[in-house]
């Protein structure tokens, strides 16, 4: 998930990002979806010609920036005679956001815009009819900011069931995962920079021995060790299917035209027996869980209730934190403000990415994150007019992504910015709201190694296309079964990811049996059927 700023990568906007995201001049207005619910036409009853005042209700996750109100006040001042719009932004803890959003959707509560993502509940909620189709707002001269920022090619890559259901947000096609460590502690122990899991383990052991009261490695409850210790092999005939619970690994034939099987954690051996090697190994996709058990000794005791391990790290209460690379400069600034003399380093734990190998990262060329307009909104037009304004100029975009110029940030050339002593008062989650490869500024305060990695993750040759790019699972036929299974996986996934149960294989088998009772086999067959239909219709 997810940093708050771009790095050097934006300087060399990748060929594919330019091709996918740059504006396409001369595009015709899309016919769109004329049946979107909740849209409104702007009323213009006041003397200035501005529409009637409206307050939009938005849902994001994370901490509300300390000086959010100052930025909103500046926005209102600039747009009173044009948009005449106020924003009521609800910030929820990340661990609660998905549940709260889904509860509001099932209750029919009015929400004008919300964060969702393919790795969240986007695909599932689209299939359940919770979000409005937004086709008519893009490639439309009435929304020139959106037309400029989102090309037809990029929108096509992010369609679900042939329609646009979100504003797709990205600044590259991947955000490299890292472990932040304390450089000052590493030097104190006389260690060289960390270059392997063994080095990291030695560092954590020294913290455990030497720093009484400090957590060696703070993890997040539902993220755990995340992708640490995972299989690093290129997946060209297998793909994890998101938007369904539980997650399935779908195995394809060598020519990519036939589904050979779909497996999930805890499946019995017979589900793997007919699959080709290495996929016939029931634990091929799960090497990380043994290591998670081994490394759990470094983790905080109450990890299942931990929602913000990053706060522990920047406060000097932990010595390592698993996260992503985009936030490096802000993490350093926060830590040094709280712990004078401290500094950070990052360890890229995927070895192929650490060595900046070509073709190391699989992608379907979709955005990571999205803004959706729920069907409960009565202000879809006004909401999209706000986002049109946001993406219509660099000045507008800067205000929300970086804050007030001269207070929260300063320009450093045409595309760069520098932090100020007030930057930490406005750390806005741009990845939820504003990310753009053509508008997000470059943080000049990143260290040289971070800038190299950000540049690496921006290059087209860094990526390979995953199979089943463009496939979206439709949960509607099995929504009852998924509703029963989802709470079970939500309860157990953090246990596996944090290495809490030593005999995790037995725990997984037990969970799988419960899922079978809730309809697992029906869900599995639906996944297989939909993927095969996608392939039969020309999907790859």
């Amino acid at each position: 998930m997810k940093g708050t700023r771009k790095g050097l990568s934006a300087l060399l906007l990748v060929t594919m990002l330019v091709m996918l995201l740059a504006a396409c001049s001369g595009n015709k207005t899309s016919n769109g979806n004329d049946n979107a619910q909740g849209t409104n036409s702007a009323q213009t009853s006041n003397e200035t010609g501005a529409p009637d005042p409206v307050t939009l209700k938005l849902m994001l996750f994370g901490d509300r920036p300390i000086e959010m109100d100052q930025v909103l006040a500046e926005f209102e001042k600039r747009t009173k005679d044009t948009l005449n719009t106020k924003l009521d932004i609800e910030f929820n803890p990340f661990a609660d956001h998905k549940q709260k959003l889904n509860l509001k959707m099932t209750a029919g509560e009015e929400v004008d815009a919300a964060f969702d993502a393919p790795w969240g509940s986007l695909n599932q909620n689209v299939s359940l009819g919770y979000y409005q189709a937004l086709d008519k707002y893009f490639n439309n001269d009435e929304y020139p900011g959106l037309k400029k920022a989102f090309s037809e090619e990029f929108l096509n890559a992010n369609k679900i069931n042939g329609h646009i259901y979100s504003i797709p947000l990205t600044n590259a096609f991947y955000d490299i995962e890292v472990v932040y460590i304390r450089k000052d502690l590493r030097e104190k122990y006389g260690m060289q920079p960390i270059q392997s899991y063994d080095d990291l383990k030695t560092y954590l052991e020294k913290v455990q021995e030497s720093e009484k009261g400090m957590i060696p490695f703070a993890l997040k409850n539902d993220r755990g060790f995340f992708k640490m210790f995972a299989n690093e092999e290129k997946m060209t005939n297998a793909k994890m299917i998101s938007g369904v619970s539980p997650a399935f690994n779908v195995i394809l034939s060598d020519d990519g035209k036939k589904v050979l099987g779909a497996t999930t954690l805890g499946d019995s051996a017979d589900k793997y027996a007919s699959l080709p090697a290495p996929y016939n190994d029931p634990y091929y996709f799960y090497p990380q869980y043994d290591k998670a058990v081994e490394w759990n000794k470094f983790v905080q005791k109450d990890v299942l209730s931990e929602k913000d391990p990053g706060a522990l790290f920047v406060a000097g209460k932990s010595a390592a934190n698993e996260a992503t690379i985009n936030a490096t400069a802000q993490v350093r600034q926060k830590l040094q403000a709280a712990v004078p003399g401290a500094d950070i380093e990052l360890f890229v734990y995927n070895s192929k990415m650490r060595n900046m190998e070509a073709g190391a990262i699989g992608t379907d060329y979709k955005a990571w994150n999205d803004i959706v307009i729920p069907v409960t909104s009565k202000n879809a037009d006004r909401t999209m007019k706000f986002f049109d304004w946001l993406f219509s100029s660099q000045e507008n975009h800067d205000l929300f992504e970086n804050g007030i110029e001269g207070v929260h940030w300063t320009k450093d050339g045409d595309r760069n910015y520098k932090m100020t002593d007030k930057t930490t008062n406005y750390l806005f989650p741009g990845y939820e709201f504003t990310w753009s490869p053509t508008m997000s500024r470059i943080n000049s305060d990143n260290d040289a190694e971070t800038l190299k990695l950000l540049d690496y993750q921006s290059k087209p040759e860094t990526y390979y296309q995953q199979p089943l790019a463009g496939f979206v699972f439709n949960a509607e036929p099995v929504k009852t079964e998924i509703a029963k299974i989802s709470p079970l996986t939500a309860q157990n996934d953090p246990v596996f990811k944090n290495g809490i149960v030593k005999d995790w294989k037995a725990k997984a088998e037990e969970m799988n049996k419960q899922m079978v009772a809730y309809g697992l086999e029906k869900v599995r067959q639906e996944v297989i059927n939909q993927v095969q239909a996608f392939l039969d219709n020309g999907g790859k």
Side-chain angles (χ1 to χ4, degrees), residues 394-427:
Q394 187 68 53
E395 182 181 16
N396 297 348
H397 186 270
D398 284 340
L399 177 64
F400 274 88
E401 183 155 301
N402 300 317
I404 299 172
E405 184 180 357
V407 177
H408 303 116
W409 64 284
T410 60
K411 287 181 182 177
D412 183 23
D414 291 337
R415 290 300 313 279
N416 294 11
Y417 79 95
K418 282 188 172 292
M419 297 185 293
T420 71
D421 59 355
K422 297 290 186 181
T423 295
T424 53
N425 289 341
Y426 188 75
L427 293 178

Side-chain angles (χ1 to χ4, degrees), residues 221-233:
N221 51 7
D222 59 353
R223 185 175 173 96
F225 289 96
F226 198 48
K227 296 182 181 179
M228 291 180 66
F229 318 117
N231 196 315
E232 297 182 1
E233 296 304 311

Side-chain angles (χ1 to χ4, degrees), residues 176-213:
I176 292 174
E177 295 92 3
V178 301
V179 175
Y180 291 117
I181 68 150
R182 289 277 297 275
K183 178 182 179 181
D184 53 304
L185 293 181
R186 190 263 299 165
E187 291 176 339
K188 172 183 173 182
Y189 306 143
M191 294 181 62
Q192 294 298 309
I194 292 173
Q195 295 295 326
S196 67
Y197 282 124
D198 287 342
D199 291 345
L200 180 60
K201 185 177 181 181
T202 298
Y203 166 80
L204 296 175
E205 288 171 342
K206 290 185 178 297
V207 170
Q208 204 166 45
E209 296 167 2
S210 307
E211 313 299 329
K212 302 304 179 185

Side-chain angles (χ1 to χ4, degrees), residues 126-143:
V126 166
S127 69
L128 293 173
Y130 289 159
Y131 301 149
Q132 297 189 32
L134 306 178
D135 304 64
K136 69 179 182 178
Y137 298 107
F138 294 94
N139 258 345
N140 185 339
D141 290 333
E142 293 184 11
Y143 297 83

Side-chain angles (χ1 to χ4, degrees), residues 16-278:
M16 61 186 167
L17 278 171
V18 172
M19 182 173 62
L20 289 173
L21 295 163
C24 296
S25 61
N27 285 337
K28 295 181 179 179
T29 300
S30 168
N31 290 330
N33 181 355
D34 294 330
N35 296 318
Q37 299 182 45
T39 61
N40 68 310
S41 57
Q43 303 291 321
T44 56
S45 60
N46 61 46
E47 294 180 359
T48 65
D52 288 340
V54 68
T55 298
L56 303 178
K57 298 178 180 179
L58 281 61
M59 287 186 68
L60 303 177
F61 68 81
D63 295 327
R64 182 182 181 88
I66 297 169
E67 296 186 354
M68 184 82 240
D69 289 343
Q70 288 90 320
V71 171
L72 290 176
E74 177 65 21
F75 159 70
E76 292 168 17
K77 183 176 72 173
R78 294 185 189 181
T79 61
K80 182 178 181 181
D81 295 333
T82 53
L83 296 180
N84 203 14
T85 295
K86 292 186 177 182
L87 304 181
D88 179 7
I89 306 177
E90 175 185 336
F91 286 88
N92 293 304
F94 175 77
D96 300 336
H97 176 78
K98 179 178 177 180
Q99 181 181 18
K100 286 190 174 184
L101 176 61
N102 288 344
L103 286 174
K104 288 178 184 286
M105 295 301 95
T106 55
E109 187 172 338
E110 186 172 348
V111 177
D112 293 307
F115 173 86
D116 207 339
W119 48 267
S121 54
L122 175 65
N123 298 335
Q124 182 173 328
N125 285 353
V126 166
S127 69
L128 293 173
Y130 289 159
Y131 301 149
Q132 297 189 32
L134 306 178
D135 304 64
K136 69 179 182 178
Y137 298 107
F138 294 94
N139 258 345
N140 185 339
D141 290 333
E142 293 184 11
Y143 297 83
L146 295 177
K147 184 175 182 179
K148 177 182 178 182
F150 299 92
S151 75
E152 186 173 0
E153 291 86 355
F154 182 56
L155 293 169
N156 285 339
N158 286 275
K159 283 184 176 180
I160 300 175
N161 300 328
H163 289 288
I164 302 166
Y165 284 97
S166 70
I167 301 173
L169 305 172
T170 193
N171 67 353
F173 291 117
Y174 202 79
D175 194 6
I176 292 174
E177 295 92 3
V178 301
V179 175
Y180 291 117
I181 68 150
R182 289 277 297 275
K183 178 182 179 181
D184 53 304
L185 293 181
R186 190 263 299 165
E187 291 176 339
K188 172 183 173 182
Y189 306 143
M191 294 181 62
Q192 294 298 309
I194 292 173
Q195 295 295 326
S196 67
Y197 282 124
D198 287 342
D199 291 345
L200 180 60
K201 185 177 181 181
T202 298
Y203 166 80
L204 296 175
E205 288 171 342
K206 290 185 178 297
V207 170
Q208 204 166 45
E209 296 167 2
S210 307
E211 313 299 329
K212 302 304 179 185
M214 180 179 283
I215 301 166
F217 199 173
L219 300 181
K220 187 174 181 295
N221 51 7
D222 59 353
R223 185 175 173 96
F225 289 96
F226 198 48
K227 296 182 181 179
M228 291 180 66
F229 318 117
N231 196 315
E232 297 182 1
E233 296 304 311
K234 184 179 291 189
M235 298 289 181
T236 55
N237 292 96
K239 175 74 176 292
M240 178 178 284
I241 302 300
S242 60
V244 60
S245 184
F248 284 92
N249 291 298
V250 170
I251 315 303
L252 305 178
S253 58
D254 287 342
D255 61 6
K257 295 181 179 181
K258 183 176 176 57
V259 178
L260 301 181
T263 64
T264 191
L265 182 64
D267 274 343
S268 55
D270 63 287
K271 293 292 191 298
Y272 296 88
S274 63
L275 297 177

Side-chain angles (χ1 to χ4, degrees), residues 334-373:
K334 284 184 176 182
L335 175 66
Q336 291 179 339
V339 185
D343 199 2
I344 67 168
E345 285 180 330
L346 52 84
F347 167 59
V348 179
Y349 54 79
N350 181 295
S351 64
K352 296 181 185 296
M353 299 180 201
R354 183 167 66 249
N355 296 326
M356 292 186 274
E357 296 180 14
I361 304 176
T363 181
D364 55 9
Y365 299 105
K366 287 189 175 184
W368 311 334
N369 304 326
D370 298 82
I371 287 287
V372 296
I373 311 296

